[in-house]
Amino acid sequence: MIELIIGGARSGKSGYALSIAEARDANLHFIATAEPADDEMTARIERHQRQRGPRWNLVEEPRYLSRTTEDFSETDVLVVDCLTLWLSNWLCSDMPQQWHEEKQNFQHGLQQSPAHWLLVSNEVGMGVTPTNRLSRQFIDESGWLHQDLAQIASRVTTMMYGIPQILKS
């Protein structure tokens, strides 16, 4: 099962995904895409770590999410947090041209995986079009990523103010 959970900053996405996962009698895995590049991001990562209890196994994978899809069974629930950071990691890397192949490999792996996947991502396409090229590329790529994942997801939820709204079930 694939669930896409999307919303703006501080909308409650991560907490919602954790609560869904923790309600299941399963092996819990948190796949973190963030890299502690500065003090503020380090603090964010530490806050997320405190939210999770001892049931959680941590997998840190900032780029190659496709590699994680083979390792889990139907008794596993995985929260991937967050897809837009994953995209940023690729666009700001020394090999952004490999993004499309990795994205396709991840989507294919998700569809083959027997595990329950909760994919957390930021909605960034509802604002104005930015003036700089990298920002426009980020918005375009995240929009296409979200569209592709929404097509293969069994469930799509948008979060606003901590309130889930089911878009697809």
Side-chain angles (χ1 to χ4, degrees):
M1 180 174 192
I2 303 166
E3 295 189 49
L4 177 61
I5 301 166
I6 194 163
R10 301 291 163 257
S11 62
K13 306 176 298 289
S14 297
Y16 180 71
L18 294 176
S19 69
I20 290 172
E22 289 174 344
R24 299 179 58 100
D25 182 24
N27 302 316
L28 303 180
H29 306 274
F30 189 91
I31 301 179
T33 62
E35 295 180 293
D38 57 38
D39 291 343
E40 191 270 337
M41 184 56 81
T42 299
R44 284 176 180 259
I45 291 169
E46 289 171 355
R47 185 178 61 250
H48 276 274
Q49 289 171 341
R50 286 191 302 271
Q51 286 180 310
R52 297 188 304 271
R55 285 183 61 196
W56 289 90
N57 300 302
L58 175 64
V59 177
E60 293 178 327
E61 185 48 71
R63 286 218 191 108
Y64 294 97
L65 288 181
S66 63
R67 294 178 184 167
T68 66
T69 59
E70 302 170 3
D71 300 333
F72 301 101
S73 72
E74 63 277 349
T75 62
D76 295 302
V77 175
L78 299 98
V79 172
V80 178
D81 198 353
C82 129
L83 296 178
T84 45
L85 280 175
W86 175 53
L87 169 60
S88 293
N89 293 341
W90 275 103
L91 293 181
C92 296
S93 75
D94 56 355
M95 51 191 165
Q97 67 280 4
Q98 293 181 5
W99 158 248
H100 292 283
E101 180 180 353
E102 171 59 18
K103 179 178 86 164
Q104 288 178 339
N105 291 341
F106 178 59
Q107 290 171 9
H108 177 75
L110 285 174
Q111 290 176 290
Q112 303 306 311
S113 176
H116 184 158
W117 292 84
L118 298 152
L119 309 174
V120 177
S121 198
N122 289 294
E123 170 50 57
V124 297
M126 295 181 139
V128 297
T129 302
T131 57
N132 87 42
R133 184 193 63 76
L134 181 58
S135 295
R136 286 190 308 272
Q137 182 183 14
F138 172 76
I139 287 173
D140 289 347
E141 293 295 343
S142 65
W144 292 322
L145 172 65
H146 295 151
Q147 287 181 52
D148 291 346
L149 290 172
Q151 291 302 309
I152 65 171
S154 304
R155 185 178 176 109
V156 178
T157 304
T158 187
M159 295 293 297
M160 285 186 85
Y161 317 116
I163 300 169
Q165 298 178 9
I166 309 301
L167 301 178
K168 178 181 177 183
S169 181

